[in-house]
Amino acid sequence: AIPLQPPETQRGKPLMQALRDRKSERSFADRPLTVQELSNLLWAANGINRSNGHRTAPSARNVQEFDLYVIRQDGIYVYEPKQHQLRPIAAGDHRKSAGNDSYVATAPLNLIYVADLSKISWTRDPNVKLRIAGLNVGFIAENVALFCSSEGLNSVPRISIDTDSLSTILKLRPEQKIILATTVGPPK
């Protein structure tokens, strides 16, 4: 596992400025995020912000069905919020598998939001499960967008993903579904 740095929670622009500056950008400089930038980003996305284990992003009935997969040039990882670390999934450069848009293959970072629908146990209706996941992923993705805006990073949320191919690479179980992705990096 790769331990991450503690989040720097006193950084960034005020919320209203981050909201004013938030936009989708599809061009990225050719430099990876620093460990501190990555640590701050993942904590902001869905890290633990309270002693009771609750997260920065709300979750219906606190089910916490999402895992964040991190695709970088050196490999694929899954973010483990309790330990605030990255667990390796696959070595090598898999960025081109992170989406159908050309820029994802060279962007420094692609976040893949994976819902484990088996954790939504209070209903058996697959449509309801997907609606709940759709709600919860919106919170996480907006945290990412606002963090990037606050820190001067470019980002763009995406649904253009070959989910079947990427699910195989990520070694997902059938009840785990790729819902969304965000590409992140420094501005060009």
Side-chain angles (χ1 to χ4, degrees):
I2 299 173
L4 297 170
Q5 303 295 323
E8 297 174 325
T9 59
Q10 301 301 314
R11 293 185 47 98
K13 295 177 186 174
L15 177 61
M16 296 303 276
Q17 289 176 19
L19 286 164
R20 179 196 65 209
D21 297 340
R22 196 229 48 83
K23 61 187 177 291
S24 295
E25 289 286 343
R26 292 165 180 82
S27 64
F28 306 94
D30 186 21
R31 87 156 173 84
L33 272 65
T34 67
V35 173
Q36 189 65 63
E37 287 172 323
L38 183 60
S39 296
N40 292 347
L41 169 64
L42 293 172
W43 180 84
N46 202 24
I48 294 174
N49 67 349
R50 288 165 274 174
S51 61
N52 63 3
H54 288 218
R55 311 259 184 105
T56 58
S59 172
R61 296 190 183 179
N62 196 37
V63 73
Q64 302 299 342
E65 77 274 22
F66 274 94
D67 288 312
L68 273 67
Y69 285 77
V70 177
I71 301 180
R72 307 186 320 173
Q73 185 174 10
D74 65 342
I76 301 174
Y77 306 85
V78 65
Y79 175 54
E80 296 180 328
K82 289 180 183 172
Q83 298 83 9
H84 194 57
Q85 68 183 15
L86 293 175
R87 181 172 41 87
I89 300 297
D93 190 351
H94 296 274
R95 292 177 295 171
K96 67 181 177 186
S97 300
N100 300 329
D101 299 301
S102 61
Y103 57 84
V104 302
T106 57
L109 181 71
N110 289 284
L111 296 176
I112 309 297
Y113 308 93
V114 176
D116 183 346
L117 299 180
S118 70
K119 291 183 177 181
I120 303 171
S121 59
W122 63 88
T123 181
R124 291 186 164 187
D125 184 334
N127 293 321
V128 172
K129 288 183 179 209
L130 285 172
R131 286 189 6 234
I132 291 165
L135 171 71
N136 291 340
V137 78
F139 299 130
I140 299 168
E142 188 63 9
N143 281 2
V144 169
L146 288 173
F147 172 83
C148 290
S149 173
S150 176
E151 291 296 315
L153 295 170
N154 285 353
S155 70
V156 59
R158 305 177 291 99
I159 59 169
S160 59
I161 307 162
D162 179 346
T163 57
D164 291 336
S165 174
L166 187 54
S167 294
T168 300
I169 294 168
L170 298 180
K171 304 171 186 152
L172 300 182
R173 300 181 320 277
E175 61 274 10
Q176 291 178 291
K177 303 294 181 194
I178 296 169
I179 305 296
L180 187 69
T182 299
T183 302
V184 175
K188 208 173 223 182

